[in-house]
């Protein structure tokens, strides 16, 4: 006869224990059922919250375009500040397959460098134009003969 009395300690018939195992072989500890504890509302095994935002895989196309844009800035504007953008773009192209997180970060930095160097080139051109607008040309330059 198992149990704790004629009808068991919890009112069940003799010998049934309703999932209670003194060795803890099955069942969850108190407070960890559905709706309780760290997995509350998210199903079993999901940790302390909903899953994060899914990450897109690193794009080889994006890294190549960033590399080409930085090369064009260096060649067209003689902007040597874009050389780190070329380096980060080339490293991103190399790492797309092996280290996608690193490639994504390097591609982002390559675009940031491209943007900063482009803005600096535009500001420099605007300053040079503004400095030249106020200057008077040499009166003898236009062939007045004076």
């Amino acid at each position: 006869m198992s149990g704790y009395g004629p009808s068991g300690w919890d009112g069940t018939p003799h010998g049934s224990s309703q999932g209670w195992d003194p060795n803890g072989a099955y069942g969850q500890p108190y407070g960890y059922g559905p709706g309780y504890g760290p997995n509350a509302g998210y199903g079993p095994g999901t940790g302390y919250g909903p899953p994060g935002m899914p990450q897109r895989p690193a794009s080889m196309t994006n890294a190549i375009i960033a590399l080409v844009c930085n090369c064009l800035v260096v060649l067209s504007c003689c902007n040597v500040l874009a050389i780190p953008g070329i380096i980060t773009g080339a490293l991103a192209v190399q790492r797309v397959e092996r280290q996608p997180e690193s490639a994504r970060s390097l591609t982002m930095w390559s675009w940031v460098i491209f943007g900063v160097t482009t803005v600096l080139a535009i500001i420099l051109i605007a300053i040079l134009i503004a400095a030249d607008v106020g200057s008077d040309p040499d009166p003898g330059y236009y062939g007045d003969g004076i």
Side-chain angles (χ1 to χ4, degrees):
M1 180 184 232
S2 63
Y4 292 99
S7 63
W9 69 277
D10 58 354
T12 59
H14 294 290
S16 68
S17 60
Q18 289 189 356
W20 182 79
D21 182 16
N23 296 324
Y26 57 89
Q28 293 181 337
Y30 178 76
Y32 282 90
Y36 299 100
N39 296 328
Y42 302 112
T46 60
Y48 284 96
M53 293 291 294
Q55 294 286 331
R56 291 185 305 177
S59 168
M60 172 94 59
T61 306
N62 197 8
I64 290 172
I65 293 172
L67 175 64
V68 169
C69 288
N70 278 301
C71 288
L72 289 175
V73 168
V74 169
L75 293 176
S76 65
C77 302
C78 299
N79 194 346
V80 295
L81 297 177
I83 291 174
I86 293 173
I87 294 169
T88 56
L91 289 174
V93 169
Q94 287 179 344
R95 295 183 184 182
V96 166
E97 296 295 325
R98 293 179 288 127
Q99 300 169 337
E101 288 296 320
S102 175
R104 187 178 301 112
S105 176
L106 286 167
T107 302
M108 188 242 354
W109 278 111
S110 183
W111 280 114
V112 167
I113 292 168
F114 170 73
V116 168
T117 55
T118 303
V119 168
L120 288 175
I122 291 171
I123 290 172
L124 180 65
I125 291 170
I127 289 172
L128 291 174
I129 290 173
D132 192 40
V133 168
S135 65
D136 289 331
D138 185 19
Y141 179 74
Y142 292 108
D144 292 346
I146 301 177

